[in-house]
Amino acid sequence: MTNENLIKIKNLAVEYITNKGILGGKQIIHAVNGVNLEIKKGEILAVAGESGCGKSTLAKAVLGLEPAKSGQIIFEDLNLLASDKKELKNFKKKAQMVFQNPYASLNPKMKIIDILKEPLEINTDYSQEDILKIVKEKIKLAGLSENCLALYPHEFSGGQRQRIAIARALVLEPEFILADEPVSALDVSIQAQIINLLKELKEEHNLTFLLITHDMSVIEFLADRVAIMYLGEIVEIGKTKDIFSAPLHPYTKALLSSVPQINKTDKKIILKGDLPSPANLPTGCKFHTRCPYVMEKCKTCHPEDTGISHKVKCFLYN
Ligand code: SF4
């Protein structure tokens, strides 16, 4: 890992308009609200939070799969939100995605060889001989044999399919991989193999990852740093070991208290109420409706980041 940033996200906001408002009227879903993040070359940055916190929308916005309302996403020196088609096409070769569900992400009608050749045929002018060489190299790198290439997706287990999806993400030699819940659809016995594969790719090939997951034990094993997201905001960010050993934000403490561990003595923190709707964000600190330490000012004032390498948004610390 270097100190150089591969991606810088500044003040990013993403909104949706739906027709599910009161009496069928339109409503605005504030999915991502003023996110600032930096991802260093060669690191795994995890974004964690409960379902509906905006982490998958953030990931899609980074890859241009969701339009941003405002802000900047800078990849190397390129502001992706102000780039032309040619620049975006170049970026898309350098940035690939591994999806949650390896059953849905592979075309069942295509042989594995064609699934892996497709991105190269679309995005490069390599000869068929060179394409085949790359495909064979990447399937091996993902831990499968060349014999797999002649088969169809349904002939593989979930773990093997996720390896194929990873091989497909690697064929264009990306610098950046966005992995959205890459193991949550797999059996527990298979999860460790895929997690180890991602770690090897990061360590041996200096790949940079944005890992989206709700699974804190995956983060503890895999991520260099972790950002905790709540209602579209990053409320705490720091090195994984610092966040796990000394979490600061009351929400992070609650998330970590729910991780099952042998010999764990700390009491599980049960938060009151459900996650508020992103269509109707609370004023002040967005966590104030569920926070055990809520103070009067939390209801009206919005806390800003405190700290340098370990940052938290909470009035308990400023
Ligand atoms: Fe709780 Fe207030 Fe801190 Fe928000 S700012 S997390 S409500 S103590």
Side-chain angles (χ1 to χ4, degrees), residues 111-114 116-117 129 131-152 156 160 163-164 167:
K111 285 187 179 171
I112 305 310
I113 188 165
D114 297 321
L116 298 193
K117 279 166 75 178
E129 193 186 342
I131 287 178
L132 191 59
K133 201 170 141 200
I134 294 169
V135 163
K136 286 181 178 175
E137 185 191 310
K138 300 308 177 196
I139 199 80
K140 276 193 216 155
L141 190 57
L144 294 171
S145 79
E146 284 179 26
N147 299 338
C148 299
L149 295 173
L151 305 176
Y152 287 91
F156 295 91
Q160 289 170 323
R163 287 181 187 275
I164 294 164

Side-chain angles (χ1 to χ4, degrees), residues 151-200:
L151 305 176
Y152 287 91
H154 72 266
E155 297 176 82
F156 295 91
S157 67
Q160 289 170 323
R161 286 185 209 204
Q162 199 58 310
R163 287 181 187 275
I164 294 164
I166 290 168
R168 181 180 55 187
L170 295 174
V171 291
L172 287 171
E173 302 278 358
E175 291 174 49
F176 173 60
I177 293 189
L178 201 157
D180 189 1
E181 302 279 6
V183 297
S184 61
L186 304 177
D187 289 346
V188 175
S189 58
I190 305 296
Q191 288 184 357
Q193 296 175 16
I194 300 297
I195 291 167
N196 281 326
L197 172 61
L198 295 175
K199 201 170 177 85
E200 271 168 40

Side-chain angles (χ1 to χ4, degrees), residues 76-92:
E76 295 172 329
D77 288 328
L78 188 70
N79 180 6
L80 300 175
L81 301 183
S83 300
D84 60 29
K85 274 188 183 169
K86 196 175 159 202
E87 288 169 327
L88 285 177
K89 197 175 170 198
N90 270 336
F91 163 71
K92 283 180 182 170

Side-chain angles (χ1 to χ4, degrees), residues 56 59-60 63 65 95-100 165-166 168-169 176-180 212:
S56 288
K60 286 182 191 154
L63 282 196
L65 305 173
Q96 296 290 313
M97 186 155 183
V98 174
F99 295 91
Q100 176 177 5
I166 290 168
R168 181 180 55 187
F176 173 60
I177 293 189
L178 201 157
D180 189 1
I212 304 294

